[in-house]
Amino acid sequence: MGKILVIGSLNMDMVIKVSNTPKPGETVMGKSIQYIPGGKGANQAYAAAKLGGDVAMIGAVGKDDHGDLLVNNLLDVGVDTCGIKKADMNTGLAVIYVNKAGENCIVVLAGANDTVNKAQIDELHSYIEDSEWIILQMEIPKKTVEYVIKKAASLNKKIILNPAPAPENFPDELFGMLEIITPNETELEKLTKMHVNSMDEITLAAKELNKKGVSQVIVTCGKNGALLFNSKGKFQYSAPKVTAVDTTAAGDTFTAALAVALSENKTMREAIRFANKAASISVTRSGAQSSIPSKEEVN
Ligand code: RIB
């Protein structure tokens, strides 16, 4: 099995359940509050390990209780956390509203995540060398993400970019260094500046990213499953029908599950099916890491 390295964010999620998310100027009453381990990077590392992968993570937390809790949660599922440094800043925090339809809106305060820099990546160069798959998102500084992509590509590593939150401008030269990109519809729209209001429009936008050089463009489409666009054309994969209570970390679970299946030499079709199932289970439960299923559950 190929090793998976996740380089990215760790956040403590402050999750507030509401009936409806507030509009600008509106005050609404919350129903409950919970603190749950999250952060796109940590969610992906946690999910990849829980789903059977051989996983290490590079990132940063603060010297505080939240930081300890986040690292311990990753250790519990067997993630190698030696690459997570302790910075003189608060651990990242995400404020998440979840409405009665299970939809969320999220505000992230990066905190220690902002300290993940080139020097840390260079110090941990051997982690990149030893891995087959490198997973990245966009909650650490963009220049660090770009640096990792160039470094990993020069070492012929397979790079998966989950472009969340979607960057304003992403250098065109980097697309050709990505094996896989996994945007949701909103992120695809922002990355391509194209409309994505129908499957035909999503296909055209995915084709655009493939033309820019990404080998496998996989768009996660919520309850409609996933769309793959590669040199052979377009393929659609439906997701199991479930009742969603909280969609937080569904995309993270999808990206991680995909990487695990591919690291086990599964075909792309098998990997997307596995990822669709894992993400579908995650939306039936509350929270980020608290919602992520094990490999046994998915199988
Ligand atoms: O993708 C979900 C994650 O986004 C949450 O866990 C939150 O921390 C934000 O990073």
Side-chain angles (χ1 to χ4, degrees):
M1 182 197 294
K3 285 188 185 212
I4 298 170
L5 174 64
V6 179
I7 304 179
S9 59
L10 300 97
N11 298 328
M12 181 53 77
D13 290 352
M14 189 173 97
V15 183
I16 302 176
K17 291 252 166 84
V18 291
S19 291
N20 298 297
T21 37
K23 300 182 188 72
E26 188 187 14
T27 301
V28 300
M29 300 303 284
K31 295 177 167 190
S32 63
I33 181 165
Q34 267 184 300
Y35 287 85
I36 300 175
K40 294 184 196 302
N43 294 344
Q44 292 174 19
Y46 183 93
K50 205 162 171 193
L51 291 164
D54 182 356
V55 188
M57 179 165 183
I58 293 177
V61 292
K63 294 174 184 157
D64 50 27
D65 291 348
H66 283 172
D68 292 344
L69 202 144
L70 291 174
V71 171
N72 286 335
N73 215 44
L74 293 177
L75 284 170
D76 280 349
V77 288
V79 175
D80 174 348
T81 62
C82 296
I84 301 175
K85 73 175 174 191
K86 296 221 163 180
D88 284 320
M89 289 182 86
N90 292 338
T91 294
L93 181 80
V95 180
I96 305 182
Y97 297 122
V98 180
N99 69 16
K100 59 177 185 276
E103 299 157 336
N104 62 43
C105 50
I106 306 180
V107 178
V108 176
L109 291 166
N113 295 308
D114 261 351
T115 69
V116 180
N117 56 15
K118 290 180 187 177
Q120 185 181 359
I121 300 300
D122 285 343
E123 246 171 62
L124 297 164
H125 180 83
S126 61
Y127 273 91
I128 298 180
E129 266 180 346
D130 292 349
S131 304
E132 183 185 2
W133 291 91
I134 314 289
I135 309 182
L136 291 154
Q137 331 71 36
M138 304 295 308
E139 286 186 335
I140 57 171
K142 185 165 165 259
K143 56 178 189 272
T144 309
V145 173
E146 293 176 6
Y147 183 68
V148 172
I149 291 174
K150 286 181 192 156
K151 190 186 254 276
S154 74
L155 294 166
N156 288 322
K157 302 300 170 185
K158 294 175 203 155
I159 306 167
I160 304 180
L161 176 66
N162 174 227
E168 284 303 331
N169 293 300
F170 192 74
D172 268 356
E173 75 197 84
L174 298 186
F175 283 113
M177 299 177 192
L178 304 178
E179 176 69 19
I180 300 175
I181 194 164
T182 57
N184 64 18
E185 291 152 79
T186 317
E187 290 148 6
L188 181 68
E189 182 170 35
K190 210 159 169 197
L191 274 176
T192 59
K193 301 182 175 61
M194 293 168 73
H195 293 299
V196 295
N197 300 319
S198 64
M199 271 301 165
D200 284 348
E201 287 183 354
I202 291 172
T203 305
L204 283 178
K207 188 177 181 182
E208 185 63 24
L209 291 185
N210 179 244
K211 268 206 298 202
K212 284 184 189 243
V214 187
S215 307
Q216 314 282 342
V217 180
I218 303 173
V219 186
T220 54
C221 304
K223 63 178 178 348
N224 295 322
L227 178 139
L228 164 69
F229 197 100
N230 61 20
S231 58
K232 296 192 183 115
K234 171 192 96 165
F235 304 87
Q236 265 175 267
Y237 300 89
S238 59
K241 296 271 165 283
V242 293
T243 304
V245 301
D246 182 353
T247 57
T248 309
D252 299 330
T253 306
F254 182 95
T255 295
L258 185 81
V260 171
L262 294 173
S263 78
E264 292 169 342
N265 295 320
K266 299 268 183 349
T267 63
M268 183 54 87
R269 175 192 159 96
E270 289 167 333
I272 294 178
R273 289 195 159 172
F274 181 69
N276 266 340
K277 285 189 208 163
S280 297
I281 296 173
S282 80
V283 304
T284 66
R285 310 201 276 232
S286 286
Q289 286 164 41
S290 50
S291 71
I292 292 167
S294 66
K295 183 173 199 162
E296 292 69 37
E297 279 180 273
V298 178
N299 287 336

